[in-house]
Amino acid sequence: MSRAAAATDGRIRRYEDFARVHAYLLAAAGIPPSLHERLYRKLADEVFDGGEVFAVDPCEGGRQRRLVLASEEPLGKESDVFLVDHAWSFRLADALKQLREVPGLAERMAALMCVDLDRNIETEESDEQDGEKSGSLEHVLQVVETEMARVQERGTDSAAWLELEELGIDDDMLVTLDLSAKFPNLVALNLWGNRLQDTEKVMQEIRKCPKLKALWLNETPVLGKGIDKSVLDSLSGLEIYNSRFTSKAGEWALSFCADIVGADNPCSFVESTLLDSIATIDLSDRCIHKLPEAFSPSKLPSLSKLNIRGNPLDQISADDLLKLLSGFTQLQELEVDIPGPLGNSAISIIESLPNLSFLNGVNSSSIIESGKHIVDSALQPRLPEWSPEESLTERVIGAMWLYLMTYRLADEEKIDETPVWYVMDELGSAMRHSDIPNFRIAPFLFMPEGKLASAISYTVLWPTHDVHTGEECTRDFLFGIGEEKQRSARLTAWFHTPENYFIQEFRRYQEQLQSNSICSSTKIKEAPSTKSVRPNDGHALRVYTDIPHVEEFLTRPEFVFTTDPKEADIIWVSMQVDSEVKKAIGLTDKQYTNQFPFEAWLVMKHHLAETIHKAWGSPEWLQPTYNLETHLSQLIGDYCMRKQDGLDNLWIMKPWNMARTIDTTVTGDLSAIIRLMETGPKICQKYIERPALFQGRKFDLRYIILVRSIRPLEIFLSDVFWVRLANNQYTLEKTSFFEYETHFTVMNYIGRMNHMNTPEFVKEFEREHQVKWLEIHESIRSMIRCVFESAAAVHPEMQNPFSRAIYGVDVMLDSRFKPKILEVTYCPDCGRACKYDTQALVVTLPLAKIECLGR
């Protein structure tokens, strides 16, 4: 084929064509120009040679995989590029359906995500066999006699340390062992994982061991029976209980965490010379609220490496803790939660502790150079969790947020409203996170025909540093996202970040909200002052509109239509009329428009919540709502608090400014909540898990509000409203959250709307629930008034004498029939009101005026 013919059909046959067609994609992906031609060759020939260079190894006990460089030759920085296939691509609403229907998909995803093996089956069988042996008194006595012999070797008065972990010891066996008689100087007793159940019998034996410094009853049935207080009250010298420091922890506990004291070196007292020599102490996950007095530079002058991760340390301020640590002049390596007890910034910690060489395993100078406030190399990964009865499909749905990637298709005309999610193949999915990665990846659409319709999606992988054989290949899960975009909080999607920090942030936020009460403390007393827009000479008002329903139903003789917006008295359009539009079309400030300045404070979801919060704090009629672009930490804290308290934890994610529930998701998965931020700015709102139902189905109500003035506030509530019903019966089954027709009510865009006239609905609703709709209507009326009072009080700049507007207000009732505000919609679609729901239920006037509070 000639070059001219090739150019005509658009098919890419040369590198130059590839570079021209994909120029924007190559730049957006950040692929080094030196690799562009090599990438083209591999795409054109479909070369997947990663398997010859890399190997996938199991880690984390088989619950995760990692990617390592397997080639004998090292891989230089930006020396090669590799194609990663997409094993599964989907729209979120289709995920469950595809896993159920596509042959082999659930099995492949389960294997890739390490959720396909119930390892407990073999373990339980082996445990049962071992249990027959270990649960016998004879076997336990052998272990005890071995320790008795060791004590004899050290001297009969020496301290004893007894390890009896998971030996099948029950209550009667513990009594029979009579440990206090055999070990009068017992300082540590490990009964972890035994079959102890009787609190009285266990306490009877423990009280006989008054010299105990450490006791482990972890994973024993007796723990759920209130034994903790009895143990702590009975053993005055106990410093470690169930792996945690007690309030009496001191030199002995510190020495245990420094490996000075242990099973091989039991003692009841630690000499000062031993403390002087301690260089490393691991105090991680000890539930320490305040460090022991013995933890001081004078007692531990040689301390050079310290780990205090996983401790609340909430009984000492960050400043005081930094001051204490600064006294350890030899301290060079520190592990601490960030954000955490030393604050939110790694840079600030290093500046306060200038002798530090490493913070959380990262070189201090590298942290300063990179400007990163959060270093996360030591965070523990979130691993998939599932129950044995869950199907592979359910397990994949639960684990997929640890693996998913996303992109959104776009061409010259528009951006696809719904994002595409995908899972890389086994090689790509094995790449783990590093704050200092040695590889980078980017999604890439190859268009062999030169058009988007021919696009094939890949992920491109290339080294950003020199990598040597056997070295792990890592990427930054949050590439390009710094602390200004809440990096530390977003890492919670993949890692166990410090919950205490987020809970504190949530509590502070709650206190701040509770102090907000502009509307409840300030009454707006301005009297209505707007006047009619009708001219004094009585001539008809000229209306310019692009809304079909206005053209069809505005038939009163006081109005006539014009096709020239410059001639109109009233501009009533669906588009936003800002200063640029006015200038372009030639409009003046004396023409009436159907929108108020700054009305985004009402009609954009994050602004609406912020406006209400500033005005009312946390009113009952607004579900807990968080702008994830600014308040992710507070949301995580709320989520963690609810989880700790055993409360329901379902949330709904809503884009700031999308209609028709586009990109809206219901989930109880914290990783999902955080990952969904990647598809655009959203609010996260507490889901109404127990809504009022109509014949078993969810519903919401659309009210129409006419606004004549913001300051003073003049609003009117149309007596005509309508109900929107879900198609399916309501359920909280996990898999139902993918069913649009179960959890959402806007059905007129999917072609399966079950219309019901409002009078019929109200009559049946009153009969079903034995309530009076008039009382419900009054509570809704009051709530709507409060919503618009919020805007008037917080944003008086919205007022404009030449503005008039109609807004749709969506309301849902909870199971107590209390109203909840969902959203306020600009220029609502009133098609149903015009065609079907035309009968007023609360008959007062054609438009029922809502008086402002305080009038």
Side-chain angles (χ1 to χ4, degrees), residues 433-452:
H433 171 79
S434 173
D435 206 39
I436 309 175
N438 50 18
F439 279 82
R440 184 176 164 189
I441 65 168
F444 189 83
L445 292 178
F446 176 48
M447 298 179 285
E449 304 293 338
K451 296 180 180 179
L452 186 62

Side-chain angles (χ1 to χ4, degrees), residues 528 708 713-717 781 844-845 847-851 855:
R708 190 157 69 179
L713 185 62
E714 285 187 88
I715 56 178
F716 299 81
L717 171 65
R781 188 173 179 269
T844 51
L845 297 171
L847 295 178
K849 186 173 181 180
I850 303 179
E851 299 294 342
R855 290 262 178 93

Side-chain angles (χ1 to χ4, degrees), residues 316-356:
I316 181 172
S317 70
D319 289 341
D320 288 344
L321 186 53
L322 281 168
K323 184 178 179 181
L324 173 62
L325 295 179
S326 66
F328 292 92
T329 57
Q330 303 299 313
L331 186 61
Q332 296 183 2
E333 298 182 41
L334 175 65
E335 297 274 343
V336 62
D337 295 327
I338 307 175
L342 293 179
N344 305 341
S345 170
I347 294 175
S348 296
I349 294 171
I350 292 170
E351 290 173 346
S352 300
L353 304 173
N355 291 333
L356 280 186

Side-chain angles (χ1 to χ4, degrees), residues 594-694:
N594 66 323
Q595 51 200 256
F596 280 84
F598 307 103
E599 66 183 3
W601 290 111
L602 277 173
V603 300
M604 293 186 73
K605 299 177 185 70
H606 63 306
H607 285 326
L608 174 64
E610 182 181 342
T611 299
I612 294 172
H613 285 153
K614 286 182 177 179
W616 299 100
S618 298
E620 183 183 9
W621 41 267
L622 175 69
Q623 288 288 94
T625 304
Y626 299 89
N627 179 358
L628 292 181
E629 295 299 302
T630 56
H631 288 80
L632 177 59
S633 292
Q634 292 78 2
L635 176 275
I636 294 173
D638 192 349
Y639 185 98
C640 293
M641 282 279 289
R642 289 176 179 275
K643 186 175 181 180
Q644 288 180 8
D645 295 340
L647 300 176
D648 52 47
N649 230 341
L650 266 183
W651 299 80
I652 183 167
M653 307 281 288
K654 303 177 182 179
W656 281 358
N657 198 27
M658 285 277 197
R660 311 196 311 273
T661 64
I662 293 169
D663 200 16
T664 299
T665 308
V666 177
T667 182
D669 187 322
L670 183 58
S671 293
I673 290 171
I674 299 170
R675 298 297 312 281
L676 284 162
M677 294 173 64
E678 297 170 29
T679 62
K682 293 179 178 65
I683 64 166
C684 184
Q685 192 169 69
K686 186 67 192 66
Y687 191 59
I688 303 171
E689 292 179 314
R690 283 171 282 280
L693 302 177
F694 178 72

